[in-house]
Amino acid sequence: MNRSHTLYEPPGPLGRKRQRIFSIVSALAVCWLLVAIGMRLETSGQFDADKWAIFLHWGTAKFLFDGLVSTLMAAACSALAAFALALPLALWRLSTRPLVSRLAGAYIEFFRAIPLLLLILFMVIELPSLGFDWPALGFLVFAMALHHSALTAEVVRAGILSLPRGQREAALALGMRPSQAMLHVVLPQALRAMLPALISSVLAIVQDTSLGYVIPYDELLHRSQDVSSYAPQSLLQAAFIVTMMYGLVSAALLYLKRWVLRRQGRAVARSVAKRADGAAADLPGEVPASVAGANSRE
């Protein structure tokens, strides 16, 4: 049975016709909504040249581009720190020692439950009083690493649990210790399987860097607010351009995720084909006609 149809029956001719009708109606509704929004913006003068003129200057473009670089730098540092914490947290969560497993579970549940914005504000307010005189990037990365390490640890744990138990048991049967089996057999396969989910985690980190404006960290959203403060008439335009810049980064990560999924699908198809070819080669072949004819003459 096709895996995509294990939870529902494929639609028949009438169902496919209804789906096409609903798709056409939905597309027309979306187009009508976009046209209505465009007409409303045109009526309010949002397409006037003076409201877009500031973004045609090289200084404004460089100002926003530097904010995008700061956003990507904060996202990269946060992702590296979060993934470095998530791997041991997931392993400790799967530990057979109750104390270790409960402590890791308490950490994960605690930092998953706290809103990231409140965590960032707490870091900025409380850590300087304890002697941590960090730049804004440090507070943002530390808070995001704590929050996203808890989220990513669950992704890693789910990836490990998704593998068949026979992989670990076979490694133990070969004489490996449990730690060696996890490091050399289970983790490499689990990391390959959960790579698309990890890319989605990176996308969430990139989007959450926009919360750095409350510190304030000089990232993309904060710089767009500076532009709109300098040119109040271009508030909507600044928000639109920043949204498009975030959208380009998100689209690149989503394309990378789809590319990884296609590559993994082709690898699985090649593996299935090789196994099928090997099984066919093991079957007894037909008796050659020349041998059969010689036997009949004898």
Side-chain angles (χ1 to χ4, degrees):
M1 181 180 295
N2 191 349
R3 177 173 291 184
S4 61
H5 296 154
T6 54
L7 298 179
Y8 62 91
E9 290 293 332
L14 183 59
R16 289 194 295 269
K17 183 178 180 180
R18 289 176 178 173
Q19 288 179 354
R20 286 194 294 269
I21 294 174
F22 291 154
S23 299
I24 294 173
V25 172
S26 300
L28 292 175
V30 170
C31 292
W32 176 84
L33 180 62
L34 293 176
V35 171
I37 293 173
M39 293 176 63
R40 184 62 181 269
L41 293 176
E42 175 65 25
T43 303
S44 60
Q46 296 298 329
F47 293 118
D48 293 346
D50 60 328
K51 295 185 177 181
W52 296 89
I54 188 174
F55 301 103
L56 300 179
H57 294 286
W58 167 249
T60 305
K62 185 178 183 301
F63 186 74
L64 292 177
F65 180 77
D66 291 341
L68 178 60
V69 172
S70 299
T71 293
L72 296 179
M73 182 173 63
C77 295
S78 301
L80 290 175
F83 293 166
L85 288 173
L87 184 58
L89 279 173
L91 296 179
W92 294 337
R93 187 72 176 86
L94 295 171
S95 175
T96 55
R97 299 177 181 178
L99 180 60
V100 175
S101 179
R102 289 173 183 172
L103 288 176
Y107 174 95
I108 292 172
E109 295 301 327
F110 178 76
F111 284 107
R112 286 177 63 190
I114 297 179
L116 180 55
L117 181 60
L118 295 181
L119 187 58
I120 294 173
L121 291 175
F122 178 81
M123 296 296 172
V124 174
I125 295 172
E126 294 298 330
L127 289 185
S129 63
L130 299 177
F132 295 95
D133 189 15
W134 293 346
L137 177 62
F139 293 115
L140 179 62
V141 169
F142 187 47
M144 291 185 62
L146 293 177
H147 181 75
H148 283 279
S149 64
L151 298 177
T152 311
E154 289 297 283
V155 175
V156 176
R157 185 171 73 96
I160 293 174
L161 293 177
S162 66
L163 291 179
R165 294 182 59 184
Q167 300 286 336
R168 182 174 180 274
E169 293 173 354
L172 295 177
L174 292 175
M176 291 186 179
R177 295 193 297 272
S179 59
Q180 291 177 328
M182 178 63 69
L183 182 62
H184 298 290
V185 177
V186 176
L187 271 182
Q189 298 182 70
L191 289 174
R192 284 195 296 269
M194 61 189 171
L195 186 56
L198 294 179
I199 296 175
S200 298
S201 299
V202 174
L203 177 58
I205 291 174
V206 172
Q207 294 173 348
D208 284 345
T209 54
S210 60
L211 298 176
Y213 79 94
V214 300
I215 296 180
Y217 174 62
D218 207 15
E219 45 82 43
L220 183 57
L221 182 59
H222 185 264
R223 293 212 167 190
S224 72
Q225 292 178 337
D226 292 339
V227 172
S228 59
S229 298
Y230 177 77
Q233 74 278 5
S234 301
L235 175 62
L236 183 61
Q237 289 73 16
F240 175 77
I241 290 177
V242 168
T243 301
M244 294 301 296
M245 295 175 73
Y246 274 113
L248 289 175
V249 176
S250 301
L253 290 174
L254 290 174
Y255 177 80
L256 177 62
K257 178 181 177 180
R258 288 194 296 268
W259 180 80
V260 170
L261 288 172
R262 288 196 301 267
R263 188 178 180 86
Q264 289 181 346
R266 288 195 296 266
V268 171
R270 287 195 299 267
S271 177
V272 171
K274 287 181 180 179
R275 286 199 297 266
D277 293 341
D282 292 337
L283 293 176
E286 296 180 356
V287 180
S290 59
V291 177
N295 293 333
S296 62
R297 286 193 298 269
E298 293 178 357

